[in-house]
Structure formats: C-alpha cells, structure tokens
Amino acid sequence: MKYTITTPLYYVNDKPHLGSSYTTIACDALARFQRLNGNSVVFITGVDEHGQKIERTAQGKNMEPRVHCDEITEKYKYLWDKLNISYDRFVRTSSSEHESLVYKFYEKVYQSGDVYMGRQSGWYCVGCEEYKDTEKNDINPICSIHKKKLEWRDEENLFFRLSKYQKQIENLINIDSFISPQSRKNEITNFVSKGLRDFSISRVNLNWGINVPENKNHTFYVWFDALLGYISGSLIEPGSLELTEQSLSNWPVNIHVIGKDILRFHAVYWPAMLISAGMEPPLKVFGHGFLTREGHKMGKSLGNVLDPIKLLEYGGIDAMRWYLLRDIEFGEDGDFQMKRFVDIVNSDLSNTIGNLLNRTITMSKKWFQDNIPTKDINYNQSSLKKISEDKINEYMKSFKESNFKSCANAIIELANSANLYLNDREPWKLIKDISNKEIVAHDIYSVLESCRIIAVLLNPLVPDLSIRILNQLKTNTSSITFKNSLKWGLLDPNNGLQDPTPVMCKIDFTEGDLSE
Ligand code: MSP
C-alpha cells in the first residue's frame, strides 16, 4: 500500500528550531514505521520561501531573497541529514516546478468559479502571515503568538470562496479519524460552526512571491502558495504540466503532521481548496502541541531558544530523538527539561537496553565458544516470547495512533522484563554446574532474541541505535520489515556475535548553555 506523509513546509525566515525538529522527527518515525510495515512511503518535507516575512528578513540582511532562502534551506537540509531524516521529497516553494504547479492549480480553482476580486481590510500579523480577528478601532494591537505589533492593511485582493464549502467541510471534520487529537478537533468544529468566511489569496505590493496571472501587481498569498507544496512533492515528475490523478505518486495525503498553530489552514482552508480543484482532501491532520523549555516559552528576546544543533552535538542523535518521542505526549504541549533529558536517555538507552545487550553478549561469548548458543527445542516456550508478543501488539497499536510515548514504553517494558529474567534466572550461578548448560543456553538465547526484537522495534524511533544493536547481533540490517523480523526465534546462532561494545554511552548533565 502507498502512504504519503508530510511535515509542514518551514518558513525560511530563520534557521530550524527545536519545534521544527520535533515535527520532522515525529514524521520520520511515522514514515519509517510505515516502511517497516511494508508500505511504499512518500515522505514530503520542504521550505516555505515566499511572503512578506521572508522578504523583510532578507532586506534586513541586505540580501536578495533568493540568496537568503538558499542559505537557510541549506541549514534545514543539513540538520535533517544530521537527524537521519528519511524524507523522499524536499519541496522548495521558490522553485520553477512549484510555480508551474501553482498556476495549474489556480486555473482549476478559477474554473470552478471560486475566485473573485474583493477588498480586504484588517489587522495583519506578518509573523503569522495572517489577518487577525481584531477590531478596527483597537489601538496598537499585538499578535498573541509573536508579541509583535499588528499592521493595518486595506487593499484589493483576490478572494477564495471558502463559504461555498461550509457543508463539505462540516462533513469532513465530522469524520472521526480526520483531525487528531480530539482537543484539536473540538477547536476546529467550534471555528467552522461560526460560519466560514471567504479568504484572500493574493497580496499587492509584495514582490517576493508568485505572480497571479492576469493580475500582475498581485502575488499569491503565501499560504495559498505553500499548501500547494504538498502537491508539488507528490508529483511523479516535478514540474509536470499535468495535474491529474495519474501525475501524482499517491493522492490523497494520508497524514499531514503540523503544530497546533496552523491547524485551520490544514483542516479547513486546504481541504476546501482541494475540493474546489476537484481533488481529494487529506485523510488525516494531526496537530501536535508546542514545546517550552524548562517551563518557559522559548523566544529570541528571552535568549532561551534551544539550538537543535547544539543539543545534537551534546547528546547525539539517538538521545535527541528518543527524548522528544519518549517523553513528550504527542499531541499535547511538552516541556524540554535538561535534567530529564539526561536521566531518561541514560536510564532507558544506556542502562536498560545498552547494559542488557552488553552483559548478555559477554556471557554468551564466554560460555558458548564466542557465539550465540544453539536454539534448544524449548526456545518457543520461553516466557520472554509471550511478553515480547504482548509488547509488540501494544507497540503496533500505539504507533497506529501516533502515540510514540506508549510505543517507547512498550519497548522499555520488554527490556525491563528481559533484565528481570536474567536477574531471576542468575545464569552466572547456574553455569557453575555443567549439567545446567542447556538451561543456560535457553536463557541466554531468549534474552539475546529479546534484544533483537527490541532493536527492530527501536528502528523507527532511533534508527542509528537500532542498527548498532543489530550489528552486534550480526543480524542483517538491510531490507528488514516487521513481517520478516518480529517472529520469535529468528536470531541465527550461525552468524556469531560481535565483541560487546557499549551501544549507547552515558551523557553527563551539563549546566552549559545550549541556547542559540
Ligand atoms: N510555513 C508555515 C507552514 C506552511 S505548511 C504548508 C509555518 N512554518 S513555521 O516554520 O513557522 O512552523 C512550522 C512548524 O513548527 C509548525 O507546525 C509549528 O507549529 C511548529 N512549531 C513552531 N514553534 C514550535 C514549538 N515551540 N514547539 C513545537 N512546534 C512548534 O507555519
């Protein structure tokens, strides 16, 4: 089956931050999970380059917008590589391929009779690139998100007939699986129930954007342009002049993962635009929460913006991915805490999993000719087999709900059970009597097999660590799928074992500053 997943297309006004890293890591985990499940995945990410916010940032740096965008785009690609993000498509909205797509799409919406010229006046936030519901006679209103002054605008714009799609959007958001989690769904239901209003899709006096055909002093509104990036990323041949079911690798998108601040655009405006163009809306929109740091909102003026590159250099890729997916309830707001980061990573990855593997490989090599013990006839009766099957089921169910925290819990519970098993069985005592060798072989095989299963389950969350564990167990790491690797008893004693080296080193707590 095909499966398309997207991150938002990130604004290039600044380098990537912890929030964008968080969304991207979560999407990467989902994409890897779907691949392991045997699906053919199209994982789309990219950057949102047009609009006033970017134009002004470039002006502030005395740079051509394009040069500025190239520079920041490279920073995104660099970080995604460092985080081992397995994206298939990287969309740039300033590319000529994307521009052709925007024209194609606009033509369809225009043909549906959904575009008209109107006048828009109101308070605008350049940070959000959005008109705000603020009264005209408000004095010096401030954006609640960006804490910056709103700007009064009164201009001729092209409008999209969103109001025409009231019924269709109501029906769509009523589909149980469409918006997750439930709290976000309630928010959108409430918004839609107030009645949808047409919204403007062009801007005047803005050069850094895509020109609207036949209205040369207008450029497309940055959101109208950027949302179409999801189609650009799905085109089998980028830049193709066709926009039909056949020209797309997989449509509709299975899941758009976004932060809660941009939910309306994805769950209301975007589906209506697609319906207008005769295309299917996405199957799901997942709105995750916001991250704070040590209880405070991160902000430039506060000087507390955690730099993902510094965090990565300090803790490493596995630590960063594991902490964000394991400690923060996906969908809820979360707080990044340095002490917890260190404690969780050390406890879960170095101790519970790393030590389990290390001590078991050491025992196995010592007592069984440098190797994995041969499977005994009772290997299928191991109590760890039943536990691993239960934990695999929990993990699968949780992953389908994008509940990474509970996936991680299932893995740790399996590792805890394997540690307890060793502590109960005490093979180091049993082995002293040679007649126990078969029993010890059974126990060691069971624990090593649990380690193999743990490594496979870790793969979508912390792929690098997963591969290091599988390598120590000399297990083939190419072309693994859940189907061909989660059955109990696949660990092959003929392959041997690598020398035990710690798969995850402990990190020391730092009071040092990882801020930008
Ligand atoms: N360019 C638009 C998206 C267009 S999609 C067609 C945009 N870009 S953004 O760079 O400002 O935001 C990207 C994502 O980062 C959003 O999903 C936003 O919710 C998320 N985050 C921004 N700050 C965040 C936190 N502090 N914590 C978690 N995510 C946050 O919006």
Side-chain angles (χ1 to χ4, degrees), residues 1 27 41 69 78 93 101 125 129 142 159 163 175 223 225 240 281 305 342-344 358 420 493 505:
M1 220 179 76
C27 287
V41 171
C69 289
Y78 175 82
T93 58
L101 184 274
C125 171
E129 292 281 13
I142 304 279
F159 279 74
S163 53
I175 299 174
W223 270 99
D225 160 354
S240 127
V305 178
V342 172
D343 289 348
I344 284 179
N358 203 274
L420 271 177
C505 295

PDB file of all heavy atoms in Angstrom, residues 1 27 41 69 78 93 101 125 129 142 159 163 175 223 225 240 281 305 342-344 358 420 493 505:
ATOM      1  N   MET A   1       0.828  -1.205   0.000  1.00  0.00           N
ATOM      2  CA  MET A   1       0.000   0.000   0.000  1.00  0.00           C
ATOM      3  C   MET A   1       0.863   1.256   0.000  1.00  0.00           C
ATOM      4  O   MET A   1       1.943   1.256   0.559  1.00  0.00           O
ATOM      5  CB  MET A   1      -0.845   0.004   1.279  1.00  0.00           C
ATOM      6  CG  MET A   1      -2.252   0.478   1.073  1.00  0.00           C
ATOM      7  SD  MET A   1      -3.152   0.405   2.641  1.00  0.00           S
ATOM      8  CE  MET A   1      -2.520   1.819   3.506  1.00  0.00           C
ATOM      9  N   CYS A  27       7.542  12.867  12.166  1.00  0.00           N
ATOM     10  CA  CYS A  27       7.148  12.384  10.829  1.00  0.00           C
ATOM     11  C   CYS A  27       8.094  11.294  10.351  1.00  0.00           C
ATOM     12  O   CYS A  27       7.666  10.322   9.718  1.00  0.00           O
ATOM     13  CB  CYS A  27       7.179  13.530   9.809  1.00  0.00           C
ATOM     14  SG  CYS A  27       5.826  14.662  10.055  1.00  0.00           S
ATOM     15  N   VAL A  41       6.298   4.362   0.941  1.00  0.00           N
ATOM     16  CA  VAL A  41       6.069   5.665   1.574  1.00  0.00           C
ATOM     17  C   VAL A  41       6.600   6.810   0.723  1.00  0.00           C
ATOM     18  O   VAL A  41       7.668   6.715   0.132  1.00  0.00           O
ATOM     19  CB  VAL A  41       6.770   5.680   2.962  1.00  0.00           C
ATOM     20  CG1 VAL A  41       6.755   7.074   3.578  1.00  0.00           C
ATOM     21  CG2 VAL A  41       6.099   4.686   3.895  1.00  0.00           C
ATOM     22  N   CYS A  69      17.221  32.698   0.984  1.00  0.00           N
ATOM     23  CA  CYS A  69      16.479  31.426   1.053  1.00  0.00           C
ATOM     24  C   CYS A  69      17.415  30.232   0.825  1.00  0.00           C
ATOM     25  O   CYS A  69      17.287  29.211   1.513  1.00  0.00           O
ATOM     26  CB  CYS A  69      15.359  31.402   0.006  1.00  0.00           C
ATOM     27  SG  CYS A  69      14.018  32.518   0.409  1.00  0.00           S
ATOM     28  N   TYR A  78      20.875  20.360   6.147  1.00  0.00           N
ATOM     29  CA  TYR A  78      21.996  19.905   6.964  1.00  0.00           C
ATOM     30  C   TYR A  78      21.478  19.243   8.243  1.00  0.00           C
ATOM     31  O   TYR A  78      21.886  18.135   8.603  1.00  0.00           O
ATOM     32  CB  TYR A  78      22.889  21.111   7.290  1.00  0.00           C
ATOM     33  CG  TYR A  78      24.024  20.812   8.232  1.00  0.00           C
ATOM     34  CD1 TYR A  78      25.212  20.240   7.767  1.00  0.00           C
ATOM     35  CD2 TYR A  78      23.916  21.093   9.603  1.00  0.00           C
ATOM     36  CE1 TYR A  78      26.252  19.951   8.642  1.00  0.00           C
ATOM     37  CE2 TYR A  78      24.950  20.806  10.485  1.00  0.00           C
ATOM     38  CZ  TYR A  78      26.114  20.236   9.998  1.00  0.00           C
ATOM     39  OH  TYR A  78      27.138  19.951  10.862  1.00  0.00           O
ATOM     40  N   THR A  93       9.354  26.152  -2.324  1.00  0.00           N
ATOM     41  CA  THR A  93       8.255  26.850  -2.996  1.00  0.00           C
ATOM     42  C   THR A  93       8.769  27.917  -3.966  1.00  0.00           C
ATOM     43  O   THR A  93       7.995  28.467  -4.730  1.00  0.00           O
ATOM     44  CB  THR A  93       7.291  27.485  -1.968  1.00  0.00           C
ATOM     45  OG1 THR A  93       8.037  28.374  -1.140  1.00  0.00           O
ATOM     46  CG2 THR A  93       6.600  26.441  -1.134  1.00  0.00           C
ATOM     47  N   LEU A 101       3.149  24.443 -10.890  1.00  0.00           N
ATOM     48  CA  LEU A 101       2.048  23.734 -10.231  1.00  0.00           C
ATOM     49  C   LEU A 101       1.022  24.726  -9.685  1.00  0.00           C
ATOM     50  O   LEU A 101      -0.186  24.512  -9.805  1.00  0.00           O
ATOM     51  CB  LEU A 101       2.661  22.862  -9.125  1.00  0.00           C
ATOM     52  CG  LEU A 101       1.806  21.933  -8.309  1.00  0.00           C
ATOM     53  CD1 LEU A 101       1.168  22.592  -7.107  1.00  0.00           C
ATOM     54  CD2 LEU A 101       0.728  21.240  -9.127  1.00  0.00           C
ATOM     55  N   CYS A 125      -0.800  40.095  10.845  1.00  0.00           N
ATOM     56  CA  CYS A 125       0.461  39.740  11.515  1.00  0.00           C
ATOM     57  C   CYS A 125       1.398  39.172  10.469  1.00  0.00           C
ATOM     58  O   CYS A 125       1.099  38.134   9.852  1.00  0.00           O
ATOM     59  CB  CYS A 125       0.244  38.719  12.632  1.00  0.00           C
ATOM     60  SG  CYS A 125       1.831  38.110  13.257  1.00  0.00           S
ATOM     61  N   GLU A 129       1.651  35.621   8.972  1.00  0.00           N
ATOM     62  CA  GLU A 129       1.167  35.844   7.606  1.00  0.00           C
ATOM     63  C   GLU A 129      -0.348  35.592   7.583  1.00  0.00           C
ATOM     64  O   GLU A 129      -0.865  34.792   6.822  1.00  0.00           O
ATOM     65  CB  GLU A 129       1.891  34.930   6.593  1.00  0.00           C
ATOM     66  CG  GLU A 129       3.372  35.239   6.380  1.00  0.00           C
ATOM     67  CD  GLU A 129       3.642  36.431   5.454  1.00  0.00           C
ATOM     68  OE1 GLU A 129       2.696  37.185   5.167  1.00  0.00           O
ATOM     69  OE2 GLU A 129       4.818  36.593   5.038  1.00  0.00           O
ATOM     70  N   ILE A 142      -1.532  43.756  19.342  1.00  0.00           N
ATOM     71  CA  ILE A 142      -0.307  42.928  19.319  1.00  0.00           C
ATOM     72  C   ILE A 142      -0.705  41.494  18.963  1.00  0.00           C
ATOM     73  O   ILE A 142      -1.745  41.011  19.418  1.00  0.00           O
ATOM     74  CB  ILE A 142       0.329  42.915  20.741  1.00  0.00           C
ATOM     75  CG1 ILE A 142       0.609  44.334  21.263  1.00  0.00           C
ATOM     76  CG2 ILE A 142       1.554  42.025  20.846  1.00  0.00           C
ATOM     77  CD1 ILE A 142       1.871  44.971  20.752  1.00  0.00           C
ATOM     78  N   PHE A 159     -10.102  36.826  -3.787  1.00  0.00           N
ATOM     79  CA  PHE A 159     -10.662  36.021  -2.709  1.00  0.00           C
ATOM     80  C   PHE A 159     -10.998  34.618  -3.185  1.00  0.00           C
ATOM     81  O   PHE A 159     -11.335  34.417  -4.353  1.00  0.00           O
ATOM     82  CB  PHE A 159     -11.936  36.678  -2.159  1.00  0.00           C
ATOM     83  CG  PHE A 159     -11.644  37.771  -1.180  1.00  0.00           C
ATOM     84  CD1 PHE A 159     -11.153  38.994  -1.625  1.00  0.00           C
ATOM     85  CD2 PHE A 159     -11.828  37.579   0.188  1.00  0.00           C
ATOM     86  CE1 PHE A 159     -10.855  40.007  -0.722  1.00  0.00           C
ATOM     87  CE2 PHE A 159     -11.526  38.578   1.089  1.00  0.00           C
ATOM     88  CZ  PHE A 159     -11.047  39.793   0.638  1.00  0.00           C
ATOM     89  N   SER A 163     -16.675  30.077   1.818  1.00  0.00           N
ATOM     90  CA  SER A 163     -18.032  29.946   2.372  1.00  0.00           C
ATOM     91  C   SER A 163     -18.864  28.918   1.598  1.00  0.00           C
ATOM     92  O   SER A 163     -19.731  28.261   2.170  1.00  0.00           O
ATOM     93  CB  SER A 163     -18.735  31.301   2.366  1.00  0.00           C
ATOM     94  OG  SER A 163     -18.677  31.855   1.073  1.00  0.00           O
ATOM     95  N   ILE A 175     -15.825  13.354  10.208  1.00  0.00           N
ATOM     96  CA  ILE A 175     -15.252  12.004  10.080  1.00  0.00           C
ATOM     97  C   ILE A 175     -14.307  11.813  11.266  1.00  0.00           C
ATOM     98  O   ILE A 175     -13.411  12.638  11.486  1.00  0.00           O
ATOM     99  CB  ILE A 175     -14.479  11.838   8.745  1.00  0.00           C
ATOM    100  CG1 ILE A 175     -15.424  12.053   7.572  1.00  0.00           C
ATOM    101  CG2 ILE A 175     -13.782  10.480   8.674  1.00  0.00           C
ATOM    102  CD1 ILE A 175     -14.744  12.068   6.208  1.00  0.00           C
ATOM    103  N   TRP A 223       0.240  31.480   1.983  1.00  0.00           N
ATOM    104  CA  TRP A 223      -0.352  30.206   2.404  1.00  0.00           C
ATOM    105  C   TRP A 223      -0.971  29.454   1.223  1.00  0.00           C
ATOM    106  O   TRP A 223      -0.887  28.226   1.149  1.00  0.00           O
ATOM    107  CB  TRP A 223      -1.402  30.418   3.502  1.00  0.00           C
ATOM    108  CG  TRP A 223      -0.793  30.357   4.866  1.00  0.00           C
ATOM    109  CD1 TRP A 223      -0.443  31.404   5.647  1.00  0.00           C
ATOM    110  CD2 TRP A 223      -0.432  29.174   5.589  1.00  0.00           C
ATOM    111  NE1 TRP A 223       0.112  30.958   6.821  1.00  0.00           N
ATOM    112  CE2 TRP A 223       0.123  29.600   6.822  1.00  0.00           C
ATOM    113  CE3 TRP A 223      -0.519  27.804   5.338  1.00  0.00           C
ATOM    114  CZ2 TRP A 223       0.583  28.708   7.781  1.00  0.00           C
ATOM    115  CZ3 TRP A 223      -0.065  26.915   6.297  1.00  0.00           C
ATOM    116  CH2 TRP A 223       0.487  27.368   7.491  1.00  0.00           C
ATOM    117  N   ASP A 225       0.054  29.556  -1.752  1.00  0.00           N
ATOM    118  CA  ASP A 225       1.221  29.045  -2.473  1.00  0.00           C
ATOM    119  C   ASP A 225       1.836  27.836  -1.730  1.00  0.00           C
ATOM    120  O   ASP A 225       2.047  26.758  -2.301  1.00  0.00           O
ATOM    121  CB  ASP A 225       2.156  30.265  -2.601  1.00  0.00           C
ATOM    122  CG  ASP A 225       3.608  30.019  -2.865  1.00  0.00           C
ATOM    123  OD1 ASP A 225       4.035  28.868  -2.863  1.00  0.00           O
ATOM    124  OD2 ASP A 225       4.328  31.003  -3.077  1.00  0.00           O
ATOM    125  N   SER A 240       5.823  18.755 -13.901  1.00  0.00           N
ATOM    126  CA  SER A 240       4.926  18.237 -14.931  1.00  0.00           C
ATOM    127  C   SER A 240       3.770  19.215 -15.160  1.00  0.00           C
ATOM    128  O   SER A 240       3.273  19.852 -14.232  1.00  0.00           O
ATOM    129  CB  SER A 240       4.409  16.865 -14.477  1.00  0.00           C
ATOM    130  OG  SER A 240       3.027  16.814 -14.514  1.00  0.00           O
ATOM    131  N   PRO A 281      -9.398  15.689  -0.453  1.00  0.00           N
ATOM    132  CA  PRO A 281      -8.738  16.252   0.740  1.00  0.00           C
ATOM    133  C   PRO A 281      -7.908  15.183   1.461  1.00  0.00           C
ATOM    134  O   PRO A 281      -8.094  13.995   1.218  1.00  0.00           O
ATOM    135  CB  PRO A 281      -9.906  16.720   1.608  1.00  0.00           C
ATOM    136  CG  PRO A 281     -11.076  15.943   1.153  1.00  0.00           C
ATOM    137  CD  PRO A 281     -10.854  15.580  -0.283  1.00  0.00           C
ATOM    138  N   VAL A 305      16.274  30.238  23.428  1.00  0.00           N
ATOM    139  CA  VAL A 305      15.899  29.333  22.334  1.00  0.00           C
ATOM    140  C   VAL A 305      16.924  28.202  22.240  1.00  0.00           C
ATOM    141  O   VAL A 305      18.112  28.439  21.985  1.00  0.00           O
ATOM    142  CB  VAL A 305      15.815  30.098  20.987  1.00  0.00           C
ATOM    143  CG1 VAL A 305      15.463  29.145  19.861  1.00  0.00           C
ATOM    144  CG2 VAL A 305      14.800  31.230  21.075  1.00  0.00           C
ATOM    145  N   VAL A 342      18.768  14.060  30.220  1.00  0.00           N
ATOM    146  CA  VAL A 342      19.933  13.240  30.586  1.00  0.00           C
ATOM    147  C   VAL A 342      19.486  11.968  31.307  1.00  0.00           C
ATOM    148  O   VAL A 342      19.920  10.858  30.982  1.00  0.00           O
ATOM    149  CB  VAL A 342      20.902  14.076  31.469  1.00  0.00           C
ATOM    150  CG1 VAL A 342      22.016  13.210  32.027  1.00  0.00           C
ATOM    151  CG2 VAL A 342      21.478  15.235  30.666  1.00  0.00           C
ATOM    152  N   ASP A 343      18.573  12.123  32.266  1.00  0.00           N
ATOM    153  CA  ASP A 343      18.148  10.965  33.065  1.00  0.00           C
ATOM    154  C   ASP A 343      17.461   9.908  32.205  1.00  0.00           C
ATOM    155  O   ASP A 343      17.733   8.713  32.335  1.00  0.00           O
ATOM    156  CB  ASP A 343      17.188  11.406  34.181  1.00  0.00           C
ATOM    157  CG  ASP A 343      17.919  12.176  35.266  1.00  0.00           C
ATOM    158  OD1 ASP A 343      19.163  12.159  35.256  1.00  0.00           O
ATOM    159  OD2 ASP A 343      17.247  12.804  36.116  1.00  0.00           O
ATOM    160  N   ILE A 344      16.558  10.357  31.358  1.00  0.00           N
ATOM    161  CA  ILE A 344      15.793   9.399  30.559  1.00  0.00           C
ATOM    162  C   ILE A 344      16.696   8.663  29.576  1.00  0.00           C
ATOM    163  O   ILE A 344      16.624   7.447  29.437  1.00  0.00           O
ATOM    164  CB  ILE A 344      14.639  10.126  29.826  1.00  0.00           C
ATOM    165  CG1 ILE A 344      13.549  10.426  30.833  1.00  0.00           C
ATOM    166  CG2 ILE A 344      14.099   9.309  28.657  1.00  0.00           C
ATOM    167  CD1 ILE A 344      12.370  11.158  30.282  1.00  0.00           C
ATOM    168  N   ASN A 358      24.910  -5.652  26.447  1.00  0.00           N
ATOM    169  CA  ASN A 358      26.324  -5.812  26.711  1.00  0.00           C
ATOM    170  C   ASN A 358      26.615  -7.003  27.613  1.00  0.00           C
ATOM    171  O   ASN A 358      27.462  -7.853  27.310  1.00  0.00           O
ATOM    172  CB  ASN A 358      26.818  -4.507  27.349  1.00  0.00           C
ATOM    173  CG  ASN A 358      28.289  -4.331  27.154  1.00  0.00           C
ATOM    174  OD1 ASN A 358      29.067  -4.846  27.943  1.00  0.00           O
ATOM    175  ND2 ASN A 358      28.678  -3.658  26.086  1.00  0.00           N
ATOM    176  N   LEU A 420      14.916  -8.456  34.164  1.00  0.00           N
ATOM    177  CA  LEU A 420      14.398  -9.190  35.331  1.00  0.00           C
ATOM    178  C   LEU A 420      14.592 -10.688  35.173  1.00  0.00           C
ATOM    179  O   LEU A 420      14.922 -11.403  36.120  1.00  0.00           O
ATOM    180  CB  LEU A 420      12.895  -8.920  35.477  1.00  0.00           C
ATOM    181  CG  LEU A 420      12.495  -7.714  36.310  1.00  0.00           C
ATOM    182  CD1 LEU A 420      10.982  -7.551  36.300  1.00  0.00           C
ATOM    183  CD2 LEU A 420      12.995  -7.898  37.758  1.00  0.00           C
ATOM    184  N   PRO A 493      22.067 -18.551  15.371  1.00  0.00           N
ATOM    185  CA  PRO A 493      23.329 -18.856  16.048  1.00  0.00           C
ATOM    186  C   PRO A 493      24.489 -19.074  15.081  1.00  0.00           C
ATOM    187  O   PRO A 493      25.643 -19.052  15.488  1.00  0.00           O
ATOM    188  CB  PRO A 493      23.026 -20.132  16.835  1.00  0.00           C
ATOM    189  CG  PRO A 493      21.543 -20.217  16.887  1.00  0.00           C
ATOM    190  CD  PRO A 493      21.037 -19.537  15.665  1.00  0.00           C
ATOM    191  N   CYS A 505      26.557   5.426  24.941  1.00  0.00           N
ATOM    192  CA  CYS A 505      27.348   5.945  26.059  1.00  0.00           C
ATOM    193  C   CYS A 505      26.489   6.891  26.886  1.00  0.00           C
ATOM    194  O   CYS A 505      25.583   7.539  26.372  1.00  0.00           O
ATOM    195  CB  CYS A 505      28.567   6.691  25.545  1.00  0.00           C
ATOM    196  SG  CYS A 505      29.670   5.561  24.709  1.00  0.00           S
TER     197      CYS A 505
END
